[in-house]
Amino acid sequence: MSVLTEKRIVLGVTGSIASYKAADLASKLTQLGAEVDVVLTAAAAQFITPLTFQSVTGRRAYVDADLWGNEGHVLHVRLGKEANLILVAPATANTLAKLAQGRADNLLTLAALTGTAPWVLAPAMDGDMYASPATQANLAQLAERGAHILGPQSGHLASGMTGVGRMVEPAEITAQVRYLLTRGGALAGRRVLVTAGGTQEAIDPVRAITNRSSGKQGYALAQAALDAGAEVTLVSGPTALAAPTGTNLRLVRSAEEMLAEVLEQAKDADALLMAAAVADFRPKASAAQKIKRAGGTPQIELVANPDILAAVTKTRSRKLKAIIGFAAESQDLLQNAQKKLKAKQVDMIVANDISASDAGFEVDTNQVVLVSKQGVQELPSMGKDEVARVVVERLGKFFY
Ligand code: CTP
């Protein structure tokens, strides 16, 4: 099952050059499992054909002529009522004006007015049209009524000028839609705290001790928890990754910074997924200035970092129903995981063998064993996002 399976989206496409990007958007939403009913306005059909959308959604794409066709039921009512979300991308100034005023003179605006689903609008137009008081007033009114307005962004415009008016990129619109349509999931209302990435322990202003953690597993966990409807705070060490849309991202660098942030965020969390690869040791002192080669080979004395999981379990609130630790092992996986489960007093350990080529640091796959009081569950090698989904599913069980 995909994350947007059984979600119906009416994707309204209006007459802007950005309508060609709507095909990519329709494809991305379809790939997430959504049923995407595309409705083109007459102006949009000048830029792009219904066939393009049908090819990527595998479903009929509609134009105004279909309004009076014989679809069995009144088409605009069916489209509007069955939709979980009405998305208009690109949304022209004209269509925004119609939506603001409740005008319904084409299939798209009729369907939008009929349904009770939330509206997500991604404006695209010339910069001056966007800046005009009329458009601004329409957008303000739509936002006040609860519509989600995405963008527009600034950049190159079709007129050749640079300004605000570009449609938000399809990947970003897809991420926003994913967030909005998953709010009612099994973990709705739960606060899930996730840590990710490796920490950096400063030697001097340019050098640090760190590890090869990419943060991929932790970021995938954040996305999986969001997909399950949770409110997610992600405490992350430095990574090259973008946080999933909807995450409350708290960036940290060192283990000590991570400790402080995690203790703060854990106060009102319902669950902690401690996937970060925390450095166990840090230089006793970090040099204020860059260490020069001419000074000879430095001797770096290390001291132990605090154990973040231990600090959380010590001050554990009753609200915190599940603490899940991660263990990266290069030998005796199961025994070490069992030991950590007890020693760290956590509810579950997700253990992986980092000596395997398809598990652990830097790769996209992982092979893990879930160890808890309830027993041991070995999972086959799978994508880190898949592992994340299984872990979050198990997490759900701690709340019942
Ligand atoms: N962890 C932590 N604070 C640390 C080190 C680790 O909270 N200073 C957490 C990790 O985020 C992970 C779990 O403890 O969830 C296990 O991490 P791991 O590095 O496998 O365990 P260590 O306790 O460091 O044991 P060792 O490195 O000796 O195997």
Side-chain angles (χ1 to χ4, degrees):
M1 207 167 109
S2 305
V3 61
L4 295 186
T5 299
E6 289 172 6
K7 300 292 184 197
R8 293 282 290 262
I9 298 171
V10 165
L11 171 57
V13 181
T14 71
S16 152
I17 180 59
S19 59
Y20 80 90
K21 292 187 180 175
D24 184 24
L25 176 59
S27 170
K28 285 185 158 67
L29 293 168
T30 304
Q31 286 173 50
L32 290 181
E35 293 167 16
V36 184
D37 289 318
V38 176
V39 179
L40 291 93
T41 63
Q46 301 281 323
F47 287 96
I48 189 164
T49 70
L51 183 62
T52 307
F53 290 103
Q54 280 169 200
S55 307
V56 294
T57 64
R59 297 168 68 83
R60 175 131 186 236
Y62 299 96
V63 292
D64 283 343
D66 296 313
L67 183 56
W68 309 114
N70 46 3
E71 278 260 322
H73 195 48
V74 184
L75 176 63
H76 64 280
V77 177
R78 179 174 71 72
L79 285 174
K81 290 245 182 296
E82 290 179 356
N84 298 102
L85 192 112
I86 309 264
L87 167 63
V88 186
T92 57
N94 187 38
T95 293
L96 292 172
K98 288 184 195 177
L99 291 173
Q101 292 172 16
R103 284 175 184 259
D105 64 351
N106 60 19
L107 179 56
L108 172 61
T109 47
L110 276 162
L113 263 191
T114 315
T116 51
W119 291 359
V120 176
L121 311 172
M125 65 197 73
D126 161 71
D128 289 334
M129 287 174 80
Y130 174 66
S132 90
T135 303
Q136 288 300 314
N138 289 333
L139 282 167
Q141 198 174 57
L142 287 162
E144 195 179 306
R145 282 189 218 137
H148 303 269
I149 315 285
L150 307 184
Q153 293 176 330
S154 74
H156 171 79
L157 301 176
S159 60
M161 292 189 287
T162 299
V164 180
R166 277 173 72 87
M167 188 176 84
V168 172
E169 289 303 319
E172 176 57 19
I173 298 174
T174 304
Q176 294 278 357
V177 167
R178 178 178 189 157
Y179 178 73
L180 287 171
L181 283 178
T182 48
R183 289 312 77 212
L187 294 185
R190 305 287 184 186
R191 290 170 183 267
V192 176
L193 175 57
V194 182
T195 67
T199 61
Q200 288 184 359
E201 311 299 327
I203 296 170
D204 69 14
V206 293
R207 304 182 183 93
I209 296 176
T210 187
N211 55 61
R212 289 166 54 205
S213 168
S214 62
K216 280 180 185 164
Q217 188 60 76
Y219 278 58
L221 284 161
Q223 180 69 73
L226 282 165
D227 287 347
E231 287 167 38
V232 176
T233 296
L234 176 61
V235 179
S236 173
T239 75
L241 303 171
T245 295
T247 321
N248 171 23
L249 177 68
R250 321 290 298 186
L251 286 174
V252 295
R253 209 170 266 286
S254 65
E256 286 184 305
E257 278 175 36
M258 186 172 277
L259 171 71
E261 193 62 50
V262 167
L263 287 179
E264 179 60 30
Q265 299 295 336
K267 282 180 192 158
D268 62 357
D270 296 290
L272 169 63
L273 301 175
M274 189 75 204
V278 186
D280 286 322
F281 307 100
R282 67 172 186 277
K284 189 172 179 189
S286 152
Q289 305 298 331
K290 186 182 170 200
I291 299 170
K292 303 300 277 181
R293 186 203 288 261
T297 309
Q299 298 295 315
I300 300 169
E301 189 185 346
L302 300 178
V303 292
N305 262 331
D307 187 321
I308 301 176
L309 265 183
V312 174
T313 48
K314 212 186 286 167
T315 58
R316 182 171 187 169
S317 76
R318 287 169 65 86
K319 193 171 187 281
L320 195 48
K321 291 277 187 301
I323 300 182
I324 299 182
F326 287 69
E329 304 293 347
S330 57
Q331 56 187 357
D332 303 330
L333 181 72
L334 214 48
Q335 291 95 310
N336 282 326
Q338 305 269 22
K339 259 191 229 158
K340 278 181 190 166
L341 181 73
K342 281 215 187 86
K344 298 198 176 241
Q345 293 179 31
V346 293
D347 301 297
M348 187 162 90
I349 286 280
V350 182
N352 65 342
D353 179 355
I354 50 166
S355 63
S357 62
D358 60 350
F361 292 152
E362 292 167 342
V363 294
D364 286 326
T365 51
N366 217 351
Q367 184 165 5
V368 305
V369 184
L370 309 182
V371 183
S372 67
K373 278 192 208 121
Q374 285 73 41
V376 173
Q377 185 186 354
E378 279 187 44
L379 301 179
S381 173
M382 50 173 80
K384 285 184 174 171
D385 44 358
E386 222 9 51
V387 170
R389 229 173 43 79
V390 177
V391 171
V392 166
E393 223 172 86
R394 283 288 295 271
L395 175 65
K397 298 202 177 20
F398 287 96
F399 296 114
Y400 302 109

